[in-house]
Amino acid sequence: MTNTSVTNTSAPTASAAQAPPPPSPSPSPREDVGAAGIPDTAQVDQQRPWWSDTVGYQVYIRSFADSDGDGIGDLNGITEHLGYLELLGIQTIWITPFYPSPMADAGYDVSDPRNVDPNFGTLEDFDRLVSEVRRHGLRLVIDLVPNHSSSAHPWFQEALRAGTGTDARDRYLFREGRGPEGNLPPNNWASIFGGPAWTRVADGQWYLHLFDPAQPDLNWRNADVRDDLRATLEFWLERGVDGFRIDVAHGMAKPADLPDAPAGPAAFDPAGFVLASNQAAAEAAAEVAAGGEGQLEDLAGQQGAVVPIAQGGRDPRFDDDGVHDVHRFIRSVLDRYPGRMTVGEVWVGDPQRYAHYLRPDELFQAFNFAILEAPFESQALRDAIESSLTSAASVGGLPVWTMSNHDKIRSVTRYGDGELGLARARAALLMELALPGSVYLYNGEELGLPSVDIPDDALRDPTWNRSGHTERGRDNCRLPLPWEGHEAPFGFSTTASTWLPVPAEYGALTVEAQLEDPSSTLSLVRRALELRSTRAEFRGDDLEWYGAPDRCFAFRRPGGLVCVLNTGDEPVPLPPGGVLLASADLDAQGRLPGSAAAWLVPAP
Ligand code: GLC
């Protein structure tokens, strides 16, 4: 790759392509934080709170940095690399779950929400991380998993022991089955990871799990569930976290009658599906698949899965109106801690329903996945940007942009892999970082890491087993980060047997290899973040769209920044102005090549 950072519309110069200087040895402490690490409420700007335009960075803890050589990333690994994050120029860290867990879903199956799993360290390690985060002038957001617990949680174990109709069972969603002898699931809901969303227990009842059977859904109508979440929120807020990323924030509430889902991905179609870990459902499915007529009739009557309905039916598993009560409850706790926030994982397509989550007494923010889901095409990306801005503006806010996370194929790979995929991912990063609002990068995105397929026997995502080995799952975007050196695991750990293998191709993409290379993706991101936080041209929240050549777009921020994106193959001339940064070299005529983006500012 070649130089990318230029200061004018003429050909790039080597001197202008310098990476930003290293951070000062003793970073200045955050000004709005008191001695105890609790934000000074007097300094919380109500109009423009810190989270509204923060640059966040998602640390997938298992894969970020391993400090103790067990092959799994941990809290101390994060603490040891805070200097890197500061150098990168991010402002807020979001850490994925580090709570005690059997790890059926990589930590999103929490058995004790107010402690640290020994894989990741101790509470003392967490406290040290908090104080070091402060010292580096950063913010800390942690994951909260209110939709479900682990099946190893004492509550669930108690529910199994206590039996039908007990208070202990009421904390979860236990129901009687349907069909002869209740041996069919209570409704046709599919688990997100494949197969039915119900598992039968020894006494014949079934429990709901929208995800893995090891993640039973909690009953949000039960007061214990609420009280326990309050205790969890207070526990971490008192320890000094700045906020929570709320997992499955559109889940939690379920319609009281748990109606069948319309045919489609929300519905489990038992025909043709055999699930070893759910014997009863597997047997029913096998019987139906084998043509057991009586069963099939029952299913046709009882399960929407086999009765196609018109498109557009709502998925009853998510976005139930009752979820807003849960958010109001969470907000009532957060409001006692000014300066702290929540950012929800809200997978709700309808812009109006999405905006409901951002009403003043609900979530502070919600991730917007529109640009993540759009292909690398100027019109699709422009539509995604406009709809995101409109829906956030309808509740007086700004979007939280994101293009990658631990559940999605990395953007380099989504956009075509190889050089083309990387060029597009770099361009999309400049597009994203030019937008008003906040942005969350996913660890490794700043290195241009691709998703890499790994051998079958290394796969850990429950999706692999739950789908009967038809869906490989999300491991390929969760591989450990390459830090330095020439041999796997490239400084991630001192052991070569890391929880997921580190692919050989990551060797060329280590932090060490990219840090001093002005043309690297890491240098591009550092420079972009530095400009974003220091230049006045990034001010203002409105976007003005320019006319642009086919397969391109250009928008302007009120402060004067112009961002041009070329999703085509041919070079295009740039509008007047000085080029602040570009994701690829301009050609000899100063044109922007295909699959590239540039930032311009008004000529002096
Ligand atoms: C969220 C997480 C995902 C997890 C799921 C269940 O979607 O991002 O990783 O598997 O919730 O907790």
Side-chain angles (χ1 to χ4, degrees):
M1 221 173 296
T2 48
N3 288 335
T4 55
S5 171
V6 293
T7 49
N8 56 46
T9 45
S10 60
T13 63
S15 62
Q18 296 299 314
S24 58
S26 42
S28 45
R30 254 169 50 184
E31 281 164 9
D32 59 341
V33 169
I38 306 297
D40 177 347
T41 54
Q43 296 192 43
V44 174
D45 181 345
Q46 299 301 329
Q47 296 307 311
R48 199 152 189 100
W50 63 267
W51 53 84
S52 68
D53 59 359
T54 195
V55 177
Y57 182 92
Q58 179 190 351
V59 170
Y60 190 70
I61 186 168
R62 301 180 69 85
S63 293
F64 185 68
D66 172 22
S67 73
D68 60 4
D70 64 358
I72 303 173
D74 45 42
L75 291 171
N76 287 342
I78 304 173
T79 307
E80 286 168 12
H81 289 84
L82 290 175
Y84 167 72
L85 296 180
E86 193 187 354
L87 176 85
L88 180 59
I90 62 102
Q91 295 155 339
T92 299
I93 304 167
W94 150 33
I95 311 180
T96 54
F98 49 81
Y99 318 111
S101 163
M103 305 291 163
D105 183 22
Y108 282 96
D109 47 319
V110 180
S111 53
D112 177 359
R114 298 188 282 280
N115 212 331
V116 173
D117 190 280
N119 277 303
F120 301 129
T122 62
L123 272 174
E124 291 68 42
D125 295 334
F126 179 80
D127 290 341
R128 193 166 55 251
L129 172 63
V130 172
S131 66
E132 285 299 298
V133 162
R134 299 266 173 275
R135 203 173 64 76
H136 285 270
L138 302 170
R139 307 268 178 182
L140 186 64
V141 168
I142 63 173
D143 233 298
L144 190 75
V145 191
N147 181 67
H148 44 264
S149 76
S150 160
S151 53
H153 190 292
W155 273 2
F156 192 73
Q157 292 301 313
E158 188 189 341
L160 291 182
R161 284 193 305 273
T164 308
T166 55
D167 288 351
R169 285 227 166 155
D170 190 55
R171 296 184 185 123
Y172 294 91
L173 292 155
F174 279 86
R175 294 287 186 280
E176 299 301 327
R178 298 200 288 196
E181 293 153 41
N183 65 353
L184 291 171
N187 69 19
N188 71 348
W189 291 5
S191 147
I192 298 294
F193 294 155
W198 296 91
T199 288
R200 201 170 194 189
V201 300
D203 57 33
Q205 278 208 314
W206 298 72
Y207 68 90
L208 180 72
H209 53 84
L210 293 185
F211 296 88
D212 192 76
Q215 294 165 296
D217 280 52
L218 289 158
N219 173 17
W220 271 92
R221 293 188 168 84
N222 182 293
D224 290 353
V225 172
R226 231 162 236 255
D227 291 346
D228 194 67
L229 190 78
R230 182 188 297 110
T232 300
L233 291 165
E234 288 169 351
F235 180 86
W236 297 108
L237 287 164
E238 295 295 338
R239 288 192 117 86
V241 303
D242 293 295
F244 300 92
R245 175 264 186 188
I246 301 191
D247 190 61
V248 200
H250 56 311
M252 300 183 278
K254 316 288 185 306
D257 54 346
L258 299 174
D260 273 340
F268 163 63
D269 180 355
F273 182 85
V274 175
L275 179 68
S277 67
N278 191 334
Q279 205 47 42
E283 278 164 18
E287 203 174 328
V288 172
E293 265 192 28
Q295 285 274 42
L296 195 56
E297 260 174 34
D298 284 349
L299 287 171
Q302 293 172 3
Q303 300 202 292
V306 288
V307 187
I309 65 146
Q311 266 209 323
R314 288 253 335 270
D315 179 346
R317 299 172 305 171
F318 296 106
D319 191 31
D320 182 72
D321 288 339
V323 74
H324 298 290
D325 281 342
V326 180
H327 286 300
R328 280 187 278 271
F329 160 69
I330 294 175
R331 180 64 177 251
S332 71
V333 178
L334 266 287
D335 279 346
R336 294 178 7 232
Y337 295 82
R340 323 294 182 92
M341 53 76 94
T342 51
V343 53
E345 180 200 28
V346 179
W347 283 97
V348 172
D350 179 310
Q352 270 173 353
R353 293 195 67 90
Y354 171 86
H356 286 161
Y357 289 78
L358 296 166
R359 289 179 287 205
D361 56 350
E362 299 198 32
L363 287 166
F364 291 76
Q365 290 188 303
F367 280 107
N368 189 292
F369 299 111
I371 56 170
L372 187 159
E373 297 208 288
F376 189 77
E377 287 163 14
S378 54
Q379 191 58 49
L381 286 166
R382 177 175 168 166
D383 289 348
I385 292 170
E386 285 185 305
S387 70
S388 307
L389 286 167
T390 309
S391 95
S394 72
V395 275
L398 288 168
V400 184
W401 308 103
T402 187
M403 291 195 306
S404 293
N405 64 35
H406 64 293
D407 294 329
K408 297 288 166 190
I409 297 171
R410 284 186 177 275
S411 50
V412 170
T413 306
R414 259 188 357 251
Y415 292 154
D417 237 335
E419 274 185 35
L420 179 67
L422 180 60
R424 289 173 165 178
R426 289 163 59 101
L429 274 168
L430 285 203
M431 170 199 82
E432 182 187 40
L433 290 168
L435 292 167
S438 51
V439 172
Y440 278 76
L441 303 176
Y442 174 50
N443 58 195
E445 197 174 2
E446 79 279 19
L447 303 176
L449 296 185
S451 281
V452 177
D453 208 3
I454 57 173
D456 291 2
D457 60 5
L459 292 173
R460 304 285 286 267
D461 189 340
T463 306
W464 175 237
N465 280 334
R466 295 276 307 162
S467 69
H469 294 183
T470 56
E471 303 282 334
R472 300 188 71 75
R474 303 158 293 179
D475 292 321
N476 66 11
C477 65
R478 300 174 171 182
L479 307 177
L481 251 60
W483 290 95
E484 59 187 17
H486 302 285
E487 231 175 274
F490 307 111
F492 164 71
S493 172
T494 51
T495 177
S497 36
T498 50
W499 80 283
L500 289 176
V502 192
E505 49 262 66
Y506 278 14
L509 298 169
T510 62
V511 170
E512 181 184 45
Q514 298 200 36
L515 204 53
E516 299 301 327
D517 173 3
S519 69
S520 70
T521 304
L522 179 56
S523 296
L524 176 75
V525 174
R526 285 177 66 194
R527 182 85 183 121
L529 294 184
E530 189 198 28
L531 293 168
R532 190 185 196 272
S533 66
T534 55
R535 299 282 301 218
E537 290 88 351
F538 287 78
R539 296 217 178 107
D541 297 336
D542 300 322
L543 285 197
E544 185 192 339
W545 294 91
Y546 276 62
D550 201 27
R551 301 181 70 188
C552 294
F553 68 53
F555 61 77
R556 185 177 178 284
R557 297 273 296 271
L561 177 80
V562 172
C563 176
V564 182
L565 176 73
N566 180 3
T567 62
D569 309 316
E570 301 301 324
V572 294
L574 286 170
V579 177
L580 204 56
L581 190 63
S583 67
D585 273 354
L586 306 187
D587 72 6
Q589 290 100 59
R591 295 177 304 176
L592 183 69
S595 302
W599 288 353
L600 294 95
V601 290

